[in-house]
Amino acid sequence: MIIRISRSKLMQMSHIDTAPTYHKYFKQLQEFGYIKYIPSYHPGYKSTIELLDPFFRRSK
């Protein structure tokens, strides 16, 4: 499943107060295989998140 998000709205809804904390959590979610995060560097565009199924990952 692919979703588009606004960093500021997601931070507000999840009670994350700082951008470094936000990026730390997204990095961890990627490392654990739960998401694929494609940030948007344009303030008018939302970032893309693909929700992955970690149980069907290929082993590295």
Side-chain angles (χ1 to χ4, degrees):
M1 171 190 283
I2 296 176
I3 58 174
R4 311 260 310 160
I5 62 156
S6 163
R7 185 187 75 189
S8 60
K9 288 186 180 183
L10 184 63
M11 286 177 64
Q12 182 182 16
M13 292 175 64
S14 61
H15 303 283
I16 296 173
D17 295 325
T18 65
T21 302
Y22 170 86
H23 290 292
K24 173 186 165 185
Y25 289 144
F26 269 83
K27 182 178 178 183
Q28 289 177 342
L29 288 168
Q30 288 183 92
E31 288 172 353
F32 295 147
Y34 292 115
I35 66 168
K36 179 179 179 183
Y37 176 60
I38 304 167
S40 168
Y41 297 103
H42 188 282
Y45 299 132
K46 295 180 179 181
S47 296
T48 302
I49 298 176
E50 182 178 355
L51 302 175
L52 304 175
D53 187 343
F55 298 107
F56 296 106
R57 284 190 303 185
R58 293 183 190 165
S59 59
K60 293 181 180 179

